[in-house]
PDB file of all heavy atoms in Angstrom:
ATOM      1  N   ILE A   1     -31.517 -63.323  27.882  1.00 94.00           N
ATOM      2  CA  ILE A   1     -30.586 -62.213  28.083  1.00 94.00           C
ATOM      3  C   ILE A   1     -31.201 -61.211  29.059  1.00 94.00           C
ATOM      4  O   ILE A   1     -32.378 -60.862  28.943  1.00 94.00           O
ATOM      5  CB  ILE A   1     -30.291 -61.471  26.764  1.00 94.00           C
ATOM      6  CG1 ILE A   1     -29.787 -62.434  25.679  1.00 94.00           C
ATOM      7  CG2 ILE A   1     -29.316 -60.324  26.996  1.00 94.00           C
ATOM      8  CD1 ILE A   1     -28.372 -62.895  25.843  1.00 94.00           C
ATOM      9  N   PHE A   2     -30.389 -60.756  30.014  1.00 94.00           N
ATOM     10  CA  PHE A   2     -30.818 -59.697  30.923  1.00 94.00           C
ATOM     11  C   PHE A   2     -29.876 -58.511  30.772  1.00 94.00           C
ATOM     12  O   PHE A   2     -28.648 -58.677  30.790  1.00 94.00           O
ATOM     13  CB  PHE A   2     -30.817 -60.185  32.373  1.00 94.00           C
ATOM     14  CG  PHE A   2     -31.896 -61.189  32.663  1.00 94.00           C
ATOM     15  CD1 PHE A   2     -31.646 -62.544  32.548  1.00 94.00           C
ATOM     16  CD2 PHE A   2     -33.166 -60.776  33.036  1.00 94.00           C
ATOM     17  CE1 PHE A   2     -32.636 -63.475  32.802  1.00 94.00           C
ATOM     18  CE2 PHE A   2     -34.166 -61.704  33.294  1.00 94.00           C
ATOM     19  CZ  PHE A   2     -33.905 -63.052  33.177  1.00 94.00           C
ATOM     20  N   LEU A   3     -30.443 -57.320  30.643  1.00 91.00           N
ATOM     21  CA  LEU A   3     -29.685 -56.087  30.472  1.00 91.00           C
ATOM     22  C   LEU A   3     -29.871 -55.219  31.711  1.00 91.00           C
ATOM     23  O   LEU A   3     -30.999 -54.861  32.054  1.00 91.00           O
ATOM     24  CB  LEU A   3     -30.169 -55.325  29.235  1.00 91.00           C
ATOM     25  CG  LEU A   3     -30.227 -56.134  27.932  1.00 91.00           C
ATOM     26  CD1 LEU A   3     -30.957 -55.330  26.863  1.00 91.00           C
ATOM     27  CD2 LEU A   3     -28.814 -56.477  27.470  1.00 91.00           C
ATOM     28  N   LEU A   4     -28.789 -54.883  32.377  1.00 91.00           N
ATOM     29  CA  LEU A   4     -28.849 -54.069  33.579  1.00 91.00           C
ATOM     30  C   LEU A   4     -27.989 -52.828  33.391  1.00 91.00           C
ATOM     31  O   LEU A   4     -26.868 -52.923  32.882  1.00 91.00           O
ATOM     32  CB  LEU A   4     -28.365 -54.845  34.810  1.00 91.00           C
ATOM     33  CG  LEU A   4     -29.247 -55.984  35.337  1.00 91.00           C
ATOM     34  CD1 LEU A   4     -29.148 -57.219  34.458  1.00 91.00           C
ATOM     35  CD2 LEU A   4     -28.830 -56.338  36.760  1.00 91.00           C
ATOM     36  N   SER A   5     -28.491 -51.685  33.811  1.00 87.00           N
ATOM     37  CA  SER A   5     -27.760 -50.431  33.691  1.00 87.00           C
ATOM     38  C   SER A   5     -27.028 -50.107  34.985  1.00 87.00           C
ATOM     39  O   SER A   5     -27.425 -50.551  36.065  1.00 87.00           O
ATOM     40  CB  SER A   5     -28.713 -49.285  33.360  1.00 87.00           C
ATOM     41  OG  SER A   5     -29.253 -49.439  32.072  1.00 87.00           O
ATOM     42  N   LYS A   6     -25.977 -49.308  34.867  1.00 84.00           N
ATOM     43  CA  LYS A   6     -25.252 -48.879  36.060  1.00 84.00           C
ATOM     44  C   LYS A   6     -26.223 -48.182  37.009  1.00 84.00           C
ATOM     45  O   LYS A   6     -27.120 -47.454  36.592  1.00 84.00           O
ATOM     46  CB  LYS A   6     -24.105 -47.941  35.692  1.00 84.00           C
ATOM     47  CG  LYS A   6     -24.526 -46.662  35.009  1.00 84.00           C
ATOM     48  CD  LYS A   6     -23.319 -45.808  34.653  1.00 84.00           C
ATOM     49  CE  LYS A   6     -23.744 -44.510  33.976  1.00 84.00           C
ATOM     50  NZ  LYS A   6     -22.597 -43.667  33.603  1.00 84.00           N
ATOM     51  N   GLY A   7     -26.034 -48.453  38.302  1.00 83.00           N
ATOM     52  CA  GLY A   7     -26.918 -47.891  39.308  1.00 83.00           C
ATOM     53  C   GLY A   7     -28.031 -48.825  39.721  1.00 83.00           C
ATOM     54  O   GLY A   7     -28.585 -48.690  40.819  1.00 83.00           O
ATOM     55  N   GLN A   8     -28.371 -49.806  38.875  1.00 86.00           N
ATOM     56  CA  GLN A   8     -29.415 -50.747  39.250  1.00 86.00           C
ATOM     57  C   GLN A   8     -28.898 -51.744  40.286  1.00 86.00           C
ATOM     58  O   GLN A   8     -27.686 -51.948  40.434  1.00 86.00           O
ATOM     59  CB  GLN A   8     -29.942 -51.497  38.021  1.00 86.00           C
ATOM     60  CG  GLN A   8     -30.774 -50.608  37.107  1.00 86.00           C
ATOM     61  CD  GLN A   8     -31.560 -51.409  36.082  1.00 86.00           C
ATOM     62  OE1 GLN A   8     -30.990 -51.974  35.162  1.00 86.00           O
ATOM     63  NE2 GLN A   8     -32.874 -51.451  36.243  1.00 86.00           N
ATOM     64  N   ILE A   9     -29.824 -52.360  40.994  1.00 86.00           N
ATOM     65  CA  ILE A   9     -29.489 -53.314  42.057  1.00 86.00           C
ATOM     66  C   ILE A   9     -30.090 -54.661  41.702  1.00 86.00           C
ATOM     67  O   ILE A   9     -31.267 -54.753  41.351  1.00 86.00           O
ATOM     68  CB  ILE A   9     -30.013 -52.823  43.419  1.00 86.00           C
ATOM     69  CG1 ILE A   9     -29.298 -51.520  43.803  1.00 86.00           C
ATOM     70  CG2 ILE A   9     -29.825 -53.875  44.504  1.00 86.00           C
ATOM     71  CD1 ILE A   9     -29.930 -50.778  44.951  1.00 86.00           C
ATOM     72  N   TYR A  10     -29.270 -55.708  41.784  1.00 89.00           N
ATOM     73  CA  TYR A  10     -29.773 -57.034  41.441  1.00 89.00           C
ATOM     74  C   TYR A  10     -29.367 -58.054  42.500  1.00 89.00           C
ATOM     75  O   TYR A  10     -28.440 -57.846  43.281  1.00 89.00           O
ATOM     76  CB  TYR A  10     -29.232 -57.488  40.073  1.00 89.00           C
ATOM     77  CG  TYR A  10     -27.802 -57.960  40.097  1.00 89.00           C
ATOM     78  CD1 TYR A  10     -27.498 -59.314  40.284  1.00 89.00           C
ATOM     79  CD2 TYR A  10     -26.739 -57.076  39.943  1.00 89.00           C
ATOM     80  CE1 TYR A  10     -26.187 -59.754  40.321  1.00 89.00           C
ATOM     81  CE2 TYR A  10     -25.427 -57.509  39.971  1.00 89.00           C
ATOM     82  CZ  TYR A  10     -25.160 -58.854  40.160  1.00 89.00           C
ATOM     83  OH  TYR A  10     -23.858 -59.295  40.206  1.00 89.00           O
ATOM     84  N   ALA A  11     -30.089 -59.165  42.505  1.00 87.00           N
ATOM     85  CA  ALA A  11     -29.758 -60.279  43.402  1.00 87.00           C
ATOM     86  C   ALA A  11     -30.344 -61.552  42.816  1.00 87.00           C
ATOM     87  O   ALA A  11     -31.465 -61.551  42.289  1.00 87.00           O
ATOM     88  CB  ALA A  11     -30.303 -60.046  44.806  1.00 87.00           C
ATOM     89  N   PHE A  12     -29.574 -62.650  42.893  1.00 88.00           N
ATOM     90  CA  PHE A  12     -30.109 -63.963  42.564  1.00 88.00           C
ATOM     91  C   PHE A  12     -30.764 -64.537  43.811  1.00 88.00           C
ATOM     92  O   PHE A  12     -30.264 -64.353  44.927  1.00 88.00           O
ATOM     93  CB  PHE A  12     -29.001 -64.897  42.077  1.00 88.00           C
ATOM     94  CG  PHE A  12     -28.487 -64.570  40.705  1.00 88.00           C
ATOM     95  CD1 PHE A  12     -27.289 -63.883  40.543  1.00 88.00           C
ATOM     96  CD2 PHE A  12     -29.206 -64.935  39.580  1.00 88.00           C
ATOM     97  CE1 PHE A  12     -26.805 -63.568  39.284  1.00 88.00           C
ATOM     98  CE2 PHE A  12     -28.729 -64.630  38.312  1.00 88.00           C
ATOM     99  CZ  PHE A  12     -27.531 -63.944  38.162  1.00 88.00           C
ATOM    100  N   SER A  13     -31.869 -65.235  43.633  1.00 84.00           N
ATOM    101  CA  SER A  13     -32.575 -65.808  44.778  1.00 84.00           C
ATOM    102  C   SER A  13     -31.803 -66.985  45.354  1.00 84.00           C
ATOM    103  O   SER A  13     -30.835 -67.482  44.759  1.00 84.00           O
ATOM    104  CB  SER A  13     -33.974 -66.264  44.356  1.00 84.00           C
ATOM    105  OG  SER A  13     -33.875 -67.297  43.382  1.00 84.00           O
ATOM    106  N   ASP A  14     -32.214 -67.433  46.519  1.00 80.00           N
ATOM    107  CA  ASP A  14     -31.578 -68.582  47.168  1.00 80.00           C
ATOM    108  C   ASP A  14     -31.575 -69.788  46.234  1.00 80.00           C
ATOM    109  O   ASP A  14     -32.553 -70.062  45.541  1.00 80.00           O
ATOM    110  CB  ASP A  14     -32.331 -68.956  48.455  1.00 80.00           C
ATOM    111  CG  ASP A  14     -32.217 -67.875  49.514  1.00 80.00           C
ATOM    112  OD1 ASP A  14     -31.412 -66.954  49.318  1.00 80.00           O
ATOM    113  OD2 ASP A  14     -32.938 -67.965  50.515  1.00 80.00           O
ATOM    114  N   GLN A  15     -30.456 -70.511  46.223  1.00 80.00           N
ATOM    115  CA  GLN A  15     -30.321 -71.773  45.489  1.00 80.00           C
ATOM    116  C   GLN A  15     -30.552 -71.624  43.983  1.00 80.00           C
ATOM    117  O   GLN A  15     -31.039 -72.541  43.322  1.00 80.00           O
ATOM    118  CB  GLN A  15     -31.288 -72.828  46.051  1.00 80.00           C
ATOM    119  CG  GLN A  15     -31.086 -73.132  47.525  1.00 80.00           C
ATOM    120  CD  GLN A  15     -29.663 -73.601  47.834  1.00 80.00           C
ATOM    121  OE1 GLN A  15     -29.109 -74.416  47.105  1.00 80.00           O
ATOM    122  NE2 GLN A  15     -29.097 -73.072  48.902  1.00 80.00           N
ATOM    123  N   THR A  16     -30.186 -70.470  43.447  1.00 86.00           N
ATOM    124  CA  THR A  16     -30.286 -70.264  42.008  1.00 86.00           C
ATOM    125  C   THR A  16     -29.087 -70.888  41.305  1.00 86.00           C
ATOM    126  O   THR A  16     -27.959 -70.767  41.761  1.00 86.00           O
ATOM    127  CB  THR A  16     -30.348 -68.753  41.678  1.00 86.00           C
ATOM    128  OG1 THR A  16     -31.597 -68.250  42.128  1.00 86.00           O
ATOM    129  CG2 THR A  16     -30.214 -68.507  40.179  1.00 86.00           C
ATOM    130  N   SER A  17     -29.347 -71.573  40.196  1.00 88.00           N
ATOM    131  CA  SER A  17     -28.292 -72.183  39.398  1.00 88.00           C
ATOM    132  C   SER A  17     -28.256 -71.505  38.030  1.00 88.00           C
ATOM    133  O   SER A  17     -29.288 -71.387  37.372  1.00 88.00           O
ATOM    134  CB  SER A  17     -28.555 -73.676  39.232  1.00 88.00           C
ATOM    135  OG  SER A  17     -27.607 -74.268  38.371  1.00 88.00           O
ATOM    136  N   VAL A  18     -27.073 -71.069  37.636  1.00 89.00           N
ATOM    137  CA  VAL A  18     -26.932 -70.357  36.361  1.00 89.00           C
ATOM    138  C   VAL A  18     -25.674 -70.817  35.644  1.00 89.00           C
ATOM    139  O   VAL A  18     -24.620 -70.965  36.252  1.00 89.00           O
ATOM    140  CB  VAL A  18     -26.833 -68.826  36.574  1.00 89.00           C
ATOM    141  CG1 VAL A  18     -26.719 -68.119  35.231  1.00 89.00           C
ATOM    142  CG2 VAL A  18     -28.020 -68.295  37.342  1.00 89.00           C
ATOM    143  N   MET A  19     -25.791 -71.024  34.343  1.00 92.00           N
ATOM    144  CA  MET A  19     -24.626 -71.232  33.490  1.00 92.00           C
ATOM    145  C   MET A  19     -24.745 -70.255  32.323  1.00 92.00           C
ATOM    146  O   MET A  19     -25.792 -70.168  31.687  1.00 92.00           O
ATOM    147  CB  MET A  19     -24.560 -72.663  32.967  1.00 92.00           C
ATOM    148  CG  MET A  19     -23.391 -72.903  31.996  1.00 92.00           C
ATOM    149  SD  MET A  19     -23.331 -74.596  31.360  1.00 92.00           S
ATOM    150  CE  MET A  19     -22.700 -75.451  32.797  1.00 92.00           C
ATOM    151  N   GLY A  20     -23.668 -69.507  32.081  1.00 94.00           N
ATOM    152  CA  GLY A  20     -23.726 -68.563  30.980  1.00 94.00           C
ATOM    153  C   GLY A  20     -22.573 -67.585  31.020  1.00 94.00           C
ATOM    154  O   GLY A  20     -21.439 -67.961  31.353  1.00 94.00           O
ATOM    155  N   PHE A  21     -22.850 -66.318  30.701  1.00 95.00           N
ATOM    156  CA  PHE A  21     -21.820 -65.291  30.615  1.00 95.00           C
ATOM    157  C   PHE A  21     -22.271 -64.031  31.339  1.00 95.00           C
ATOM    158  O   PHE A  21     -23.469 -63.761  31.457  1.00 95.00           O
ATOM    159  CB  PHE A  21     -21.546 -64.917  29.151  1.00 95.00           C
ATOM    160  CG  PHE A  21     -21.027 -66.038  28.301  1.00 95.00           C
ATOM    161  CD1 PHE A  21     -21.903 -66.890  27.652  1.00 95.00           C
ATOM    162  CD2 PHE A  21     -19.659 -66.232  28.141  1.00 95.00           C
ATOM    163  CE1 PHE A  21     -21.439 -67.915  26.850  1.00 95.00           C
ATOM    164  CE2 PHE A  21     -19.186 -67.258  27.338  1.00 95.00           C
ATOM    165  CZ  PHE A  21     -20.066 -68.107  26.704  1.00 95.00           C
ATOM    166  N   SER A  22     -21.287 -63.263  31.786  1.00 95.00           N
ATOM    167  CA  SER A  22     -21.546 -61.955  32.376  1.00 95.00           C
ATOM    168  C   SER A  22     -20.564 -60.955  31.766  1.00 95.00           C
ATOM    169  O   SER A  22     -19.351 -61.167  31.813  1.00 95.00           O
ATOM    170  CB  SER A  22     -21.368 -62.001  33.896  1.00 95.00           C
ATOM    171  OG  SER A  22     -21.483 -60.714  34.461  1.00 95.00           O
ATOM    172  N   ILE A  23     -21.092 -59.891  31.166  1.00 96.00           N
ATOM    173  CA  ILE A  23     -20.268 -58.823  30.601  1.00 96.00           C
ATOM    174  C   ILE A  23     -20.532 -57.545  31.372  1.00 96.00           C
ATOM    175  O   ILE A  23     -21.690 -57.179  31.609  1.00 96.00           O
ATOM    176  CB  ILE A  23     -20.585 -58.584  29.112  1.00 96.00           C
ATOM    177  CG1 ILE A  23     -20.170 -59.789  28.260  1.00 96.00           C
ATOM    178  CG2 ILE A  23     -19.876 -57.331  28.596  1.00 96.00           C
ATOM    179  CD1 ILE A  23     -20.521 -59.635  26.782  1.00 96.00           C
ATOM    180  N   SER A  24     -19.473 -56.867  31.786  1.00 94.00           N
ATOM    181  CA  SER A  24     -19.579 -55.556  32.425  1.00 94.00           C
ATOM    182  C   SER A  24     -18.794 -54.550  31.594  1.00 94.00           C
ATOM    183  O   SER A  24     -17.682 -54.840  31.157  1.00 94.00           O
ATOM    184  CB  SER A  24     -19.013 -55.588  33.849  1.00 94.00           C
ATOM    185  OG  SER A  24     -19.755 -56.466  34.670  1.00 94.00           O
ATOM    186  N   PHE A  25     -19.378 -53.370  31.390  1.00 92.00           N
ATOM    187  CA  PHE A  25     -18.642 -52.339  30.667  1.00 92.00           C
ATOM    188  C   PHE A  25     -19.104 -50.955  31.116  1.00 92.00           C
ATOM    189  O   PHE A  25     -20.264 -50.746  31.454  1.00 92.00           O
ATOM    190  CB  PHE A  25     -18.795 -52.486  29.148  1.00 92.00           C
ATOM    191  CG  PHE A  25     -20.184 -52.206  28.624  1.00 92.00           C
ATOM    192  CD1 PHE A  25     -20.524 -50.945  28.151  1.00 92.00           C
ATOM    193  CD2 PHE A  25     -21.143 -53.203  28.598  1.00 92.00           C
ATOM    194  CE1 PHE A  25     -21.792 -50.682  27.664  1.00 92.00           C
ATOM    195  CE2 PHE A  25     -22.415 -52.954  28.125  1.00 92.00           C
ATOM    196  CZ  PHE A  25     -22.748 -51.693  27.646  1.00 92.00           C
ATOM    197  N   GLY A  26     -18.158 -50.026  31.129  1.00 88.00           N
ATOM    198  CA  GLY A  26     -18.449 -48.658  31.516  1.00 88.00           C
ATOM    199  C   GLY A  26     -18.629 -47.762  30.315  1.00 88.00           C
ATOM    200  O   GLY A  26     -18.289 -48.121  29.179  1.00 88.00           O
ATOM    201  N   ASP A  27     -19.161 -46.573  30.554  1.00 80.00           N
ATOM    202  CA  ASP A  27     -19.364 -45.622  29.459  1.00 80.00           C
ATOM    203  C   ASP A  27     -18.045 -45.239  28.795  1.00 80.00           C
ATOM    204  O   ASP A  27     -17.989 -45.036  27.582  1.00 80.00           O
ATOM    205  CB  ASP A  27     -20.063 -44.366  29.982  1.00 80.00           C
ATOM    206  CG  ASP A  27     -21.518 -44.629  30.352  1.00 80.00           C
ATOM    207  OD1 ASP A  27     -22.140 -45.503  29.724  1.00 80.00           O
ATOM    208  OD2 ASP A  27     -22.026 -43.962  31.271  1.00 80.00           O
ATOM    209  N   CYS A  28     -16.970 -45.154  29.595  1.00 79.00           N
ATOM    210  CA  CYS A  28     -15.677 -44.769  29.014  1.00 79.00           C
ATOM    211  C   CYS A  28     -15.158 -45.859  28.076  1.00 79.00           C
ATOM    212  O   CYS A  28     -14.511 -45.565  27.068  1.00 79.00           O
ATOM    213  CB  CYS A  28     -14.658 -44.465  30.104  1.00 79.00           C
ATOM    214  SG  CYS A  28     -14.372 -45.801  31.267  1.00 79.00           S
ATOM    215  N   PHE A  29     -15.457 -47.147  28.386  1.00 82.00           N
ATOM    216  CA  PHE A  29     -15.068 -48.211  27.460  1.00 82.00           C
ATOM    217  C   PHE A  29     -15.922 -48.141  26.204  1.00 82.00           C
ATOM    218  O   PHE A  29     -15.429 -48.330  25.089  1.00 82.00           O
ATOM    219  CB  PHE A  29     -15.225 -49.583  28.117  1.00 82.00           C
ATOM    220  CG  PHE A  29     -14.843 -50.720  27.203  1.00 82.00           C
ATOM    221  CD1 PHE A  29     -13.509 -51.073  27.045  1.00 82.00           C
ATOM    222  CD2 PHE A  29     -15.806 -51.425  26.490  1.00 82.00           C
ATOM    223  CE1 PHE A  29     -13.145 -52.108  26.182  1.00 82.00           C
ATOM    224  CE2 PHE A  29     -15.450 -52.456  25.635  1.00 82.00           C
ATOM    225  CZ  PHE A  29     -14.116 -52.793  25.485  1.00 82.00           C
ATOM    226  N   TRP A  30     -17.209 -47.845  26.370  1.00 76.00           N
ATOM    227  CA  TRP A  30     -18.098 -47.770  25.216  1.00 76.00           C
ATOM    228  C   TRP A  30     -17.664 -46.687  24.242  1.00 76.00           C
ATOM    229  O   TRP A  30     -17.927 -46.759  23.047  1.00 76.00           O
ATOM    230  CB  TRP A  30     -19.542 -47.533  25.666  1.00 76.00           C
ATOM    231  CG  TRP A  30     -20.500 -47.505  24.521  1.00 76.00           C
ATOM    232  CD1 TRP A  30     -21.102 -46.417  23.979  1.00 76.00           C
ATOM    233  CD2 TRP A  30     -20.934 -48.626  23.742  1.00 76.00           C
ATOM    234  NE1 TRP A  30     -21.886 -46.785  22.912  1.00 76.00           N
ATOM    235  CE2 TRP A  30     -21.811 -48.140  22.750  1.00 76.00           C
ATOM    236  CE3 TRP A  30     -20.675 -49.995  23.790  1.00 76.00           C
ATOM    237  CZ2 TRP A  30     -22.419 -48.963  21.819  1.00 76.00           C
ATOM    238  CZ3 TRP A  30     -21.291 -50.817  22.855  1.00 76.00           C
ATOM    239  CH2 TRP A  30     -22.137 -50.310  21.887  1.00 76.00           C
ATOM    240  N   GLN A  31     -16.979 -45.664  24.731  1.00 72.00           N
ATOM    241  CA  GLN A  31     -16.520 -44.585  23.860  1.00 72.00           C
ATOM    242  C   GLN A  31     -15.499 -45.074  22.833  1.00 72.00           C
ATOM    243  O   GLN A  31     -15.231 -44.386  21.844  1.00 72.00           O
ATOM    244  CB  GLN A  31     -15.931 -43.452  24.696  1.00 72.00           C
ATOM    245  CG  GLN A  31     -16.985 -42.700  25.495  1.00 72.00           C
ATOM    246  CD  GLN A  31     -16.393 -41.730  26.499  1.00 72.00           C
ATOM    247  OE1 GLN A  31     -15.175 -41.548  26.560  1.00 72.00           O
ATOM    248  NE2 GLN A  31     -17.248 -41.111  27.297  1.00 72.00           N
ATOM    249  N   LYS A  32     -14.926 -46.260  23.074  1.00 70.00           N
ATOM    250  CA  LYS A  32     -14.025 -46.848  22.084  1.00 70.00           C
ATOM    251  C   LYS A  32     -14.793 -47.390  20.879  1.00 70.00           C
ATOM    252  O   LYS A  32     -14.206 -47.668  19.842  1.00 70.00           O
ATOM    253  CB  LYS A  32     -13.219 -47.996  22.718  1.00 70.00           C
ATOM    254  CG  LYS A  32     -12.301 -47.579  23.860  1.00 70.00           C
ATOM    255  CD  LYS A  32     -11.616 -48.803  24.454  1.00 70.00           C
ATOM    256  CE  LYS A  32     -10.714 -48.423  25.618  1.00 70.00           C
ATOM    257  NZ  LYS A  32      -9.542 -47.636  25.176  1.00 70.00           N
ATOM    258  N   ILE A  33     -16.100 -47.575  21.071  1.00 65.00           N
ATOM    259  CA  ILE A  33     -16.928 -48.121  20.000  1.00 65.00           C
ATOM    260  C   ILE A  33     -17.152 -47.052  18.938  1.00 65.00           C
ATOM    261  O   ILE A  33     -17.384 -45.890  19.250  1.00 65.00           O
ATOM    262  CB  ILE A  33     -18.297 -48.562  20.558  1.00 65.00           C
ATOM    263  CG1 ILE A  33     -18.117 -49.569  21.704  1.00 65.00           C
ATOM    264  CG2 ILE A  33     -19.173 -49.140  19.470  1.00 65.00           C
ATOM    265  CD1 ILE A  33     -17.568 -50.887  21.291  1.00 65.00           C
ATOM    266  N   PRO A  34     -17.092 -47.399  17.655  1.00 62.00           N
ATOM    267  CA  PRO A  34     -17.377 -46.419  16.604  1.00 62.00           C
ATOM    268  C   PRO A  34     -18.762 -45.794  16.779  1.00 62.00           C
ATOM    269  O   PRO A  34     -19.690 -46.459  17.250  1.00 62.00           O
ATOM    270  CB  PRO A  34     -17.316 -47.265  15.317  1.00 62.00           C
ATOM    271  CG  PRO A  34     -16.431 -48.413  15.670  1.00 62.00           C
ATOM    272  CD  PRO A  34     -16.711 -48.710  17.116  1.00 62.00           C
ATOM    273  N   PRO A  35     -18.934 -44.531  16.403  1.00 61.00           N
ATOM    274  CA  PRO A  35     -20.216 -43.843  16.565  1.00 61.00           C
ATOM    275  C   PRO A  35     -21.392 -44.567  15.918  1.00 61.00           C
ATOM    276  O   PRO A  35     -22.523 -44.423  16.354  1.00 61.00           O
ATOM    277  CB  PRO A  35     -19.969 -42.483  15.898  1.00 61.00           C
ATOM    278  CG  PRO A  35     -18.498 -42.269  15.997  1.00 61.00           C
ATOM    279  CD  PRO A  35     -17.892 -43.642  15.856  1.00 61.00           C
ATOM    280  N   SER A  36     -21.127 -45.345  14.893  1.00 57.00           N
ATOM    281  CA  SER A  36     -22.206 -46.040  14.187  1.00 57.00           C
ATOM    282  C   SER A  36     -22.947 -47.022  15.077  1.00 57.00           C
ATOM    283  O   SER A  36     -24.068 -47.431  14.766  1.00 57.00           O
ATOM    284  CB  SER A  36     -21.648 -46.792  12.973  1.00 57.00           C
ATOM    285  OG  SER A  36     -20.680 -47.753  13.372  1.00 57.00           O
ATOM    286  N   ALA A  37     -22.341 -47.418  16.190  1.00 58.00           N
ATOM    287  CA  ALA A  37     -22.988 -48.384  17.088  1.00 58.00           C
ATOM    288  C   ALA A  37     -23.659 -47.717  18.280  1.00 58.00           C
ATOM    289  O   ALA A  37     -24.268 -48.396  19.098  1.00 58.00           O
ATOM    290  CB  ALA A  37     -21.956 -49.397  17.596  1.00 58.00           C
ATOM    291  N   SER A  38     -23.578 -46.398  18.389  1.00 59.00           N
ATOM    292  CA  SER A  38     -24.086 -45.724  19.583  1.00 59.00           C
ATOM    293  C   SER A  38     -25.579 -45.906  19.760  1.00 59.00           C
ATOM    294  O   SER A  38     -26.084 -45.982  20.880  1.00 59.00           O
ATOM    295  CB  SER A  38     -23.744 -44.228  19.535  1.00 59.00           C
ATOM    296  OG  SER A  38     -24.363 -43.616  18.411  1.00 59.00           O
ATOM    297  N   ASN A  39     -26.327 -45.990  18.662  1.00 65.00           N
ATOM    298  CA  ASN A  39     -27.771 -46.167  18.764  1.00 65.00           C
ATOM    299  C   ASN A  39     -28.137 -47.476  19.449  1.00 65.00           C
ATOM    300  O   ASN A  39     -29.167 -47.574  20.122  1.00 65.00           O
ATOM    301  CB  ASN A  39     -28.417 -46.128  17.377  1.00 65.00           C
ATOM    302  CG  ASN A  39     -28.467 -44.727  16.811  1.00 65.00           C
ATOM    303  OD1 ASN A  39     -28.382 -43.751  17.546  1.00 65.00           O
ATOM    304  ND2 ASN A  39     -28.601 -44.620  15.505  1.00 65.00           N
ATOM    305  N   CYS A  40     -27.311 -48.499  19.277  1.00 69.00           N
ATOM    306  CA  CYS A  40     -27.612 -49.802  19.884  1.00 69.00           C
ATOM    307  C   CYS A  40     -27.596 -49.716  21.405  1.00 69.00           C
ATOM    308  O   CYS A  40     -28.434 -50.303  22.079  1.00 69.00           O
ATOM    309  CB  CYS A  40     -26.616 -50.853  19.398  1.00 69.00           C
ATOM    310  SG  CYS A  40     -26.680 -51.130  17.623  1.00 69.00           S
ATOM    311  N   LYS A  41     -26.635 -48.981  21.956  1.00 70.00           N
ATOM    312  CA  LYS A  41     -26.588 -48.814  23.404  1.00 70.00           C
ATOM    313  C   LYS A  41     -27.820 -48.069  23.891  1.00 70.00           C
ATOM    314  O   LYS A  41     -28.395 -48.400  24.931  1.00 70.00           O
ATOM    315  CB  LYS A  41     -25.318 -48.073  23.833  1.00 70.00           C
ATOM    316  CG  LYS A  41     -25.215 -47.858  25.345  1.00 70.00           C
ATOM    317  CD  LYS A  41     -23.872 -47.267  25.708  1.00 70.00           C
ATOM    318  CE  LYS A  41     -23.781 -46.953  27.200  1.00 70.00           C
ATOM    319  NZ  LYS A  41     -24.584 -45.782  27.572  1.00 70.00           N
ATOM    320  N   ALA A  42     -28.245 -47.056  23.144  1.00 66.00           N
ATOM    321  CA  ALA A  42     -29.441 -46.314  23.528  1.00 66.00           C
ATOM    322  C   ALA A  42     -30.670 -47.212  23.533  1.00 66.00           C
ATOM    323  O   ALA A  42     -31.497 -47.163  24.444  1.00 66.00           O
ATOM    324  CB  ALA A  42     -29.644 -45.131  22.579  1.00 66.00           C
ATOM    325  N   VAL A  43     -30.782 -48.051  22.508  1.00 66.00           N
ATOM    326  CA  VAL A  43     -31.921 -48.962  22.412  1.00 66.00           C
ATOM    327  C   VAL A  43     -31.953 -49.930  23.592  1.00 66.00           C
ATOM    328  O   VAL A  43     -32.997 -50.209  24.169  1.00 66.00           O
ATOM    329  CB  VAL A  43     -31.859 -49.759  21.086  1.00 66.00           C
ATOM    330  CG1 VAL A  43     -32.840 -50.926  21.102  1.00 66.00           C
ATOM    331  CG2 VAL A  43     -32.154 -48.839  19.915  1.00 66.00           C
TER     332      VAL A  43
END
């Protein structure tokens, strides 16, 4: 698992092969999450 924050810059190297998932979410979407889960985002 790789965790990237907004503002960070990433790149896959030449000829990289990946199978998996990509999730993107903004702070405004996270606000829909109950407060009990807020610590997890901080961690």
Side-chain angles (χ1 to χ4, degrees):
I1 305 285
F2 290 92
L3 308 170
L4 290 75
S5 293
K6 61 181 181 181
Q8 289 194 290
I9 296 167
Y10 77 92
F12 288 101
S13 63
D14 294 350
Q15 301 303 316
T16 291
S17 175
V18 181
M19 177 181 285
F21 298 88
S22 174
I23 293 177
S24 297
F25 68 94
D27 289 329
C28 57
F29 180 82
W30 182 255
Q31 290 170 4
K32 297 177 181 292
I33 304 292
S36 60
S38 62
N39 286 339
C40 298
K41 180 174 176 287
V43 167

